[in-house]
Amino acid sequence: MIEKLFPTQEIGSLSKAPFLRRKLSEEHIRISRDWAIRIGVENFEELIAQLKPGIQSDDKLKSLEDWASLYGIRFHESAGLDVVYDGEQRRVEMYEYPLLHVKGFRFVGYVKVWDAEIFKKAVILDKPSLIKPYHVEEFEFAKSKARRELKVPITGPYTLADWSFDEYYTKRKLNIEDPIERRRINKRDMVLDLAKEVIRPNLEALIRAGAKRIQIDEPAVTTKPNEVDIFVEGFNKAVKGLDCIFSVHICYSDYRLLFPYVLDLKVEHISIECANRDTKVLGRDESSRPGYSVLRLFKEYGAEMKVAPGVIDVHTDFIESPELVRDRLLYAAKLLDEPSKIIASNDCGLRTRTWEVAYEKEKALVVGAELARKEFG
Amino acid sequence: MKVSGHLVGPQPRSEELMRAYRDYTKGRLAKQVLDGLIKKEAEENVKIQLKNEFAVIIDGMLNWHDLLRPFTERLSGVEVDGLSRWFDSNTFYKQPVIVGRVERTIPILENMVFYDLVTPERLKIIVPDPYTFSKLSINKSYRRFEDLVYDVSEAIAEEISTLPAAHVQLTAPSLVYEKLPKAEIELAMNGVEIIRRRYRGILSIHTCFGRVGNVMPELLDFTVDMIGVDMTVTPFKDLKDYDFTKILGLGCIDARNTILETPDEIASFVMKVLSETSVKQVYVSPSSGLEFLPNTIANAKIRNIGSALKLLKEV
């Protein structure tokens, strides 16, 4: 990471580039041109010349993915972030996309997450194995274009396991009467197999391709409080001995449940969501900054890792002022009692926001971090 | 042998209905069309339960976004907050925020249940137990938690007393999800007692997402007719230590796994419970609502319960 206080980074997904849509209008083409100019996409005229109003075929959309990736990279770079990626422009989402590249799973249908939100869920029927590393081509393109440091996001083994139905491991005959203990053993074996057979080969392939920094996304880790240690074991198994800087991103979770297990995690930093639980008023005290109280735990437990608390809420169009970002960072630094261990981040990916809102938020992150830096001369 | 089948929570929406909900949310589908689809699917839910000879019938609760929602939205003194995780699942509910005295000032389940699909004698309505509702809320108003539980109990009791249903189930995961102090269990029991005083039908309490062992002695003292247990997290031995005076709901169909329990397995388990414990009467159910599964798998599980009931009838 850049050697300065409060370096800035994005977290993952961005909504799709304005031209990466089935039904394209003149307006979308105009917006695509405007964004290219605004964020500095080189040779964008070549793209604009290819775009025609109407329905775009699957092949056409596929052929536009490099452009979308380039837009994503320039979006983050021009906002001023220190560490960037392409906003996951090529990916469907963080669960279905990886499992399309893994043997042993079968998609069985949609289930509800909340209200009208659903996801396509898979069942594991056999020991998992990787068909082909699934982020390498995407990374190689990003590497060829990026002007800033890159961080590749990848879904972690615990989340892939927890979001799937398990038939393969559950059907084994284990001579254990306690169903909770039986479920824990099955889950552990599933997570460790995914870590070894799926995630690790992906990480190795990315590192061979030149990745220096990888973020493992694990939003599910506190879902089952008695399995947090399994997440840590799986994570460490996946990264053991690999020459790369690893971080973990965990959002919308009860972070208290991570302790003490998280202390054993082999990571440079942990990225967590805080802005969503915070107030919007300026201030560097407990009443103004309730969203950051979890950082006390990192201090109390003597955690060695850096922390990337979210200072940008990705679930609202409210644009944080740079001063609010500054106060959040400074309060987080105060709780951790070590400013050099704070990284300025979003709560999560900005996928649910428009590019306009997301861009303003990223710029506020950058300017806010700069203001925080100034407080230290 | 007379063993019945029950559903104990929301049914999953079909893929078609899920997409319809999304389209409606995005303004691409008229409310009337969505309502038509919900009704049609509720009819199918009722039909499959009748066909498989379930003793009591639910309409599937397809228009409930979560178990608490009608109460969260319609109880006076309660506001709707953001999303919160539903126990140890990858699903979320909108958290109730208690901002004033909780009261039932309007009907809560109006337009939420299809009363015309099932006769009152067989209709079961499922609501949150008062303690669970209170525990899952953000309390910004009551100085004492117990006062909140009592007011929620009164409000739910008032609602239930108006319902044309011979069966009411209180869903109570908070009683078993974490080990509770005795005083909390007693508080929950008092809340149920308030409901019991107002409701004359068959009252059950269904515990799920946690092992029942720790609270079983107290549960047996709850003023309910039936106690439902999540057998996917409760060891069989937890049932052996007590003298059962109530009907036991055997939640032995895993509502969170796609593995289909065979009719033979289900029937054998029922026989084992009846022969090795003091339980005298049981009903078979999923461990919780089947809402965690794709609709097709949920229906396959219902059919297997039906086949198991037939096997048991022959015993």
Side-chain angles (χ1 to χ4, degrees):
Chain A
M1 184 74 73
I2 313 298
E3 292 301 321
K4 62 181 179 187
L5 287 180
F6 310 117
T8 54
Q9 64 175 10
E10 53 79 52
I11 286 300
S13 60
L14 193 62
S15 63
K16 298 296 182 215
F19 50 84
L20 206 58
R21 50 174 53 241
R22 177 77 60 194
K23 197 173 169 186
L24 194 70
S25 67
E26 289 285 5
E27 178 69 359
H28 294 130
I29 298 172
R30 184 188 65 73
I31 292 169
S32 301
R33 182 186 293 111
D34 290 350
W35 271 110
I37 295 166
R38 191 168 172 188
I39 62 180
V41 176
E42 59 273 30
N43 305 322
F44 68 90
E45 297 85 354
E46 287 175 28
L47 165 72
I48 303 300
Q50 296 177 33
L51 299 176
K52 301 277 177 289
I55 303 298
Q56 303 195 100
S57 66
D58 286 344
D59 287 346
K60 179 68 186 172
L61 286 169
K62 187 83 189 154
S63 75
L64 295 174
E65 284 181 350
D66 278 357
W67 281 106
S69 179
L70 181 60
Y71 266 63
I73 293 164
R74 296 289 178 260
F75 180 98
H76 290 122
E77 287 176 340
S78 65
L81 295 171
D82 297 313
V83 178
V84 303
Y85 203 55
D86 73 349
E88 302 180 12
Q89 291 294 305
R90 299 168 201 268
R91 304 187 190 181
V92 184
E93 51 79 82
M94 64 180 295
Y95 172 77
E96 185 179 342
Y97 182 86
L99 291 192
L100 289 171
H101 301 82
V102 180
K103 256 195 226 166
F105 285 86
R106 180 165 60 83
F107 285 96
V108 285
Y110 286 87
V111 293
K112 191 178 81 170
V113 185
W114 75 85
D115 291 17
E117 290 299 316
I118 56 178
F119 85 107
K120 196 173 174 183
K121 191 161 175 170
V123 57
I124 186 159
L125 298 166
D126 203 348
K127 189 169 177 171
S129 62
L130 185 64
I131 297 166
K132 182 183 167 217
Y134 39 81
H135 293 321
V136 172
E137 288 169 20
E138 163 195 288
F139 170 72
E140 283 177 333
F141 178 83
K143 193 176 82 165
S144 73
K145 300 293 179 188
R147 297 163 182 157
R148 301 222 170 171
E149 194 176 346
L150 286 170
K151 170 168 65 67
V152 193
I154 179 170
T155 308
Y158 185 85
T159 295
L160 291 179
D162 195 64
W163 287 1
S164 302
F165 295 116
D166 164 32
E167 294 201 11
Y168 173 66
Y169 297 92
T170 301
K171 279 182 175 170
R172 299 177 304 179
K173 297 286 175 218
L174 298 175
N175 196 23
I176 298 166
E177 205 216 341
D178 182 350
I180 296 176
E181 186 53 25
R182 207 163 52 225
R183 193 168 70 179
R184 238 187 82 83
I185 289 169
N186 289 332
K187 184 67 154 289
R188 178 175 177 270
D189 289 349
M190 183 174 176
V191 171
L192 295 185
D193 280 350
L194 282 164
K196 182 177 171 220
E197 308 294 340
V198 177
I199 303 304
R200 189 175 174 87
N202 264 298
L203 301 178
E204 288 169 337
L206 281 167
I207 293 165
R208 276 197 303 275
K212 304 283 185 217
R213 181 175 285 283
I214 297 175
Q215 168 186 299
I216 298 184
D217 294 325
E218 286 281 25
V221 298
T222 60
T223 307
K224 296 177 176 63
N226 68 338
E227 293 180 358
V228 177
D229 59 321
I230 295 175
F231 142 67
V232 173
E233 191 181 357
F235 187 102
N236 288 345
K237 184 166 185 156
V239 305
K240 189 177 179 185
L242 298 181
D243 183 18
C244 188
I245 298 167
F246 290 103
S247 59
V248 64
H249 172 63
I250 302 170
C251 51
Y252 307 101
S253 300
D254 183 350
Y255 297 116
R256 291 169 302 178
L257 300 173
L258 294 176
F259 292 89
Y261 312 104
V262 74
L263 303 176
D264 293 331
L265 212 53
K266 306 295 180 205
V267 288
E268 182 221 40
H269 76 263
I270 178 170
S271 148
I272 57 176
E273 147 266 331
C274 296
N276 181 245
R277 329 168 175 220
D278 201 39
T279 78
K280 294 172 183 171
V281 299
L282 297 182
R284 302 171 199 175
D285 54 74
E286 179 63 34
S287 64
S288 314
R289 301 277 72 86
Y292 296 82
S293 57
V294 65
L295 274 91
R296 286 182 209 283
L297 289 173
F298 287 92
K299 171 74 179 161
E300 281 167 26
Y301 278 91
E304 289 178 7
M305 65 190 66
K306 295 181 182 179
V307 183
V311 291
I312 298 288
D313 185 354
V314 301
H315 279 170
T316 164
D317 283 347
F318 166 75
I319 309 291
E320 291 80 356
S321 67
E323 290 76 17
L324 180 57
V325 169
R326 174 200 62 198
D327 284 359
R328 285 173 170 170
L329 288 170
L330 291 174
Y331 185 65
K334 184 172 136 190
L335 291 184
L336 216 53
D337 200 19
E338 208 173 331
S340 63
K341 285 170 81 172
I342 297 289
I343 296 165
S345 286
N346 307 321
D347 269 355
C348 189
L350 280 156
R351 180 172 63 97
T352 56
R353 306 272 66 87
T354 63
W355 272 38
E356 193 63 50
V357 169
Y359 199 59
E360 293 307 312
K361 280 178 173 277
E362 297 291 45
K363 286 199 301 184
L365 175 68
V366 171
V367 179
E370 185 55 39
L371 290 179
R373 235 168 268 138
K374 279 183 183 161
E375 299 261 340
F376 291 88
Chain B
M1 181 181 300
K2 192 162 184 281
V3 177
S4 57
H6 290 202
L7 292 182
V8 292
Q11 280 286 95
R13 295 166 183 161
S14 69
E15 198 172 319
E16 184 192 7
L17 186 55
M18 287 182 189
R19 290 189 188 286
Y21 257 109
R22 289 197 81 165
D23 289 345
Y24 169 69
T25 307
K26 290 178 178 172
R28 298 194 297 238
L29 190 78
K31 178 81 167 63
Q32 204 180 358
V33 179
L34 176 67
D35 287 344
L37 286 171
I38 295 170
K39 178 82 187 265
K40 183 171 150 261
E41 207 155 302
E43 287 168 353
E44 285 164 13
N45 270 310
V46 169
K47 204 163 135 189
I48 193 170
Q49 292 168 78
L50 290 171
K51 192 173 174 193
N52 286 284
E53 299 186 21
F54 278 45
V56 298
I57 309 292
I58 66 168
D59 70 0
M61 306 167 77
L62 301 167
N63 48 352
W64 298 42
H65 278 320
D66 60 63
L67 178 68
L68 313 187
R69 192 70 60 84
F71 296 87
T72 312
E73 287 180 342
R74 295 180 183 175
L75 279 175
S76 175
V78 183
E79 290 178 355
V80 185
D81 196 53
L83 296 169
S84 192
R85 188 178 295 282
W86 184 245
F87 296 92
D88 61 352
S89 74
N90 185 35
T91 63
F92 297 82
Y93 70 101
K94 288 205 169 161
Q95 206 168 13
V97 186
I98 310 300
V99 292
R101 173 121 197 244
V102 176
E103 286 179 287
R104 175 189 179 274
T105 52
I106 55 169
I108 307 297
L109 298 182
E110 194 170 76
N111 304 323
M112 295 302 296
V113 179
F114 293 103
Y115 295 106
D116 57 328
L117 297 182
V118 188
T119 59
E121 296 74 35
R122 291 184 76 179
L123 177 64
K124 178 163 87 167
I125 306 284
I126 299 174
V127 298
D129 107 277
Y131 177 82
T132 295
F133 183 90
S134 307
K135 190 83 177 172
L136 297 179
S137 301
I138 300 169
N139 177 14
K140 290 187 175 175
S141 180
Y142 286 78
R143 263 192 329 122
R144 294 182 343 146
F145 178 65
E146 62 187 80
D147 292 336
L148 170 62
V149 174
Y150 290 144
D151 279 353
V152 170
S153 304
E154 292 286 357
I156 292 178
E158 193 173 342
E159 176 64 19
I160 289 173
S161 67
T162 68
L163 302 177
H167 303 259
V168 165
Q169 174 190 301
L170 306 172
T171 301
S174 290
L175 287 184
V176 291
Y177 188 64
E178 289 172 328
K179 192 173 179 186
L180 294 181
K182 292 262 184 227
E184 293 278 296
I185 300 170
E186 272 172 29
L187 177 60
M189 195 189 307
N190 294 340
V192 171
E193 174 61 27
I194 289 170
I195 290 172
R196 173 79 286 177
R197 284 202 294 263
R198 300 281 295 272
Y199 179 67
R200 300 288 171 82
I202 296 169
L203 190 62
S204 59
I205 191 159
H206 184 78
T207 58
C208 48
F209 313 138
R211 179 177 173 172
V212 82
N214 297 325
V215 291
M216 187 54 104
E218 289 83 3
L219 264 183
L220 290 167
D221 289 335
F222 274 52
T223 50
V224 294
D225 305 292
M226 304 174 171
I227 297 170
V229 175
D230 182 344
M231 293 307 297
T232 66
V233 284
T234 298
F236 178 71
K237 67 181 170 63
D238 281 10
L239 304 181
K240 292 176 93 167
D241 299 335
Y242 307 103
D243 189 17
F244 277 87
T245 51
K246 300 181 193 299
I247 298 169
L248 178 70
L250 270 183
C252 55
I253 312 301
D254 195 337
R256 302 205 280 179
N257 195 309
T258 44
I259 294 174
L260 293 178
E261 298 80 2
T262 66
D264 277 344
E265 285 168 346
I266 300 168
S268 300
F269 188 65
V270 170
M271 298 290 289
K272 183 176 173 181
V273 169
L274 289 173
S275 62
E276 295 182 24
T277 72
S278 66
V279 175
K280 291 167 199 70
Q281 198 177 340
V282 301
Y283 61 87
V284 176
S285 78
S287 51
S288 67
L290 291 165
E291 60 188 325
F292 305 101
L293 295 166
N295 166 277
T296 46
I297 294 167
N299 286 342
K301 294 214 174 209
I302 291 173
R303 283 193 291 274
N304 281 4
I305 294 176
S307 301
L309 296 179
K310 276 186 194 143
L311 290 177
L312 288 164
K313 227 185 221 178
E314 292 161 11
V315 176

